[in-house]
Amino acid sequence: MSDFDNPFADPNASSPFADPSVQQAAGSGGGYNRQGALDDYNPFADGNQTRPANQGGVPAPRPAQSQPAVMHPSEDPPPYTQTGAQKVDTSELQKRQEELERKAAELQKKEQELKNAQKYSGSRENNWPPFPAFCPVGPCFFQDFNVDIPLEFQRIVKIAYYLWGFHVIVLILNVMGSLAYFITDSNGGATFGLSILWLLLFTPCSFLCWYRPLYKAFRSDSSFNFFVFFFIFFFQFCVYVVQCLGITDFTVGIISGLSLVGSNVAVGLIMIFIGIFFGILAIISFTMLIKVHRIYRSTGASFQKAQAEFASGVMKNETVRTAAADAAAGAARGAVSGGYGSESRY
């Protein structure tokens, strides 16, 4: 049984280890060398990235040295210079910063205007004309551009105020030039008298008739005051043209000054210069008239709105309402008395 179980018990049987190829492999120690090669293999050593350095007695091939990929630009970059670095586009940032600073200033100014409006809302005491305290005549109007006038219209209202001041100065110069004309020529008496009248009349009338309507028009966006300003100020422009030319004894001017240069050069030149000042007033007034009309057209004002404002203002006037009520009561009494009289006749 044991002989059957052991195939190598038969001495005549061929042994598998007797095979010459097996003996050659066992003699060369290939198994041991292979095991030793696997034991000595270091995967982190240089060149041992994929297989052992010596497997089966054959050295592992070393990987080819690869070069990193380099991209070559189609155009050479501009040379770097410190001047070029300083020319980084900061203009847009600077513009934005300036815009933010401007808006911040506008908001601060509007906030101050609101504070002033709240301050003066309870008591708006008159402050113009700025008479001294000892003067028996007190201020008649309240005027404050920062409180009453919107920010975008303050400049043109101030220009109108300065124009009125320049107008008063020229009227004073007109009195002085007319006096010199009267001293030189006795025919200048009428011109001198009229110059005093124009100074006393036009100074308050110009303030009340075209400057204050313009001020109130921008203060409350009033179409009615805009119409008053246009009508009066156009008449004022025509007066400036006549005063500039000096064609009559109405005032001194360029033409009257030229007629007097032959007899008295100094007085003639004074009259010509006063005429030039009136011409400057005429040019500024015409420009102001055009600008105010453009603003008026952009605000959506109209003649119908002016009529409505006029009717509303008239009806809010206590004096007008009292007079209308008295007139209505008188008409009613007359109608009643007339009815009784006709009945008594029958």
Side-chain angles (χ1 to χ4, degrees):
M1 193 65 183
S2 60
D3 292 340
F4 180 78
D5 293 335
N6 187 3
F8 304 104
D10 189 3
N12 295 323
S14 60
S15 176
F17 297 101
D19 192 339
S21 61
V22 175
Q23 292 179 359
Q24 182 180 1
S28 62
Y32 175 78
N33 292 337
R34 184 179 298 109
Q35 186 67 29
L38 292 174
D39 293 339
D40 296 337
Y41 172 67
N42 184 4
F44 301 102
D46 188 14
N48 296 331
Q49 300 298 327
T50 57
R51 57 187 301 178
N54 186 8
Q55 184 176 359
V58 180
R62 297 179 64 86
Q65 297 292 333
S66 60
Q67 297 293 333
V70 180
M71 298 183 65
H72 298 283
S74 58
E75 296 181 359
D76 295 335
Y80 176 82
T81 59
Q82 188 174 2
T83 305
Q86 292 177 356
K87 290 183 179 179
V88 179
D89 189 11
T90 59
S91 58
E92 187 67 24
L93 296 177
Q94 186 175 2
K95 289 180 180 178
R96 291 182 180 179
Q97 183 178 0
E98 293 176 355
E99 184 71 16
L100 291 175
E101 291 178 355
R102 185 180 64 81
K103 290 183 178 180
E106 290 180 358
L107 290 176
Q108 185 177 3
K109 195 167 185 178
K110 289 183 179 180
E111 183 180 358
Q112 186 65 32
E113 291 175 2
L114 291 176
K115 290 181 180 179
N116 293 335
Q118 294 176 358
K119 177 180 177 182
Y120 291 111
S121 59
S123 59
R124 293 171 62 93
E125 297 181 357
N126 296 332
N127 58 0
W128 200 95
F131 291 126
F134 61 85
C135 186
V137 180
C140 304
F141 307 97
F142 176 82
Q143 177 173 289
D144 194 334
F145 301 107
N146 296 326
V147 174
D148 288 341
I149 309 301
L151 184 63
E152 60 270 20
F153 302 135
Q154 289 182 7
R155 182 173 179 270
I156 191 167
V157 177
K158 289 181 179 179
I159 291 175
Y161 180 70
Y162 298 146
L163 178 64
W164 174 80
F166 183 50
H167 165 73
V168 175
I169 294 174
V170 175
L171 288 179
I172 295 174
L173 295 176
N174 182 43
V175 173
M176 299 174 61
S178 300
L179 178 60
Y181 176 46
F182 177 56
I183 294 174
T184 305
D185 189 351
S186 59
N187 294 327
T191 304
F192 175 64
L194 288 175
S195 65
I196 298 176
L197 178 63
W198 305 147
L199 176 63
L200 298 178
L201 182 62
F202 285 169
T203 298
C205 288
S206 58
F207 184 85
L208 296 175
C209 295
W210 60 262
Y211 170 71
R212 285 299 295 182
L214 180 66
Y215 185 91
K216 291 188 289 185
F218 283 111
R219 182 185 63 186
S220 56
D221 192 17
S222 173
S223 297
F224 175 74
N225 285 291
F226 271 118
F227 271 94
V228 173
F229 168 77
F230 290 141
F231 179 76
I232 304 298
F233 200 66
F234 180 75
F235 173 75
Q236 181 73 73
F237 166 74
C238 296
V239 172
Y240 285 150
V241 173
V242 174
Q243 290 176 324
C244 170
L245 297 177
I247 54 179
T248 62
D249 291 336
F250 179 76
T251 182
V252 297
I254 297 177
I255 296 177
S256 58
L258 290 175
S259 62
L260 196 64
V261 169
S263 57
N264 195 318
V265 178
V267 176
L269 291 178
I270 291 174
M271 296 170 65
I272 291 173
F273 279 118
I274 293 174
I276 292 174
F277 287 148
F278 279 120
I280 295 173
L281 282 172
I283 295 173
I284 298 175
S285 300
F286 185 74
T287 306
M288 171 88 48
L289 197 63
I290 294 176
K291 288 186 177 181
V292 174
H293 185 264
R294 288 178 180 174
I295 296 174
Y296 164 77
R297 298 297 297 176
S298 64
T299 56
S302 62
F303 184 71
Q304 290 77 11
K305 187 178 178 181
Q307 288 179 328
E309 290 179 2
F310 177 74
S312 176
V314 169
M315 293 307 296
K316 288 181 180 179
N317 194 322
E318 186 67 26
T319 304
V320 174
R321 286 190 298 176
T322 303
D326 293 340
R333 285 194 298 269
V336 171
S337 61
Y340 283 123
S342 61
E343 291 178 357
S344 61
R345 285 196 299 272
Y346 287 107

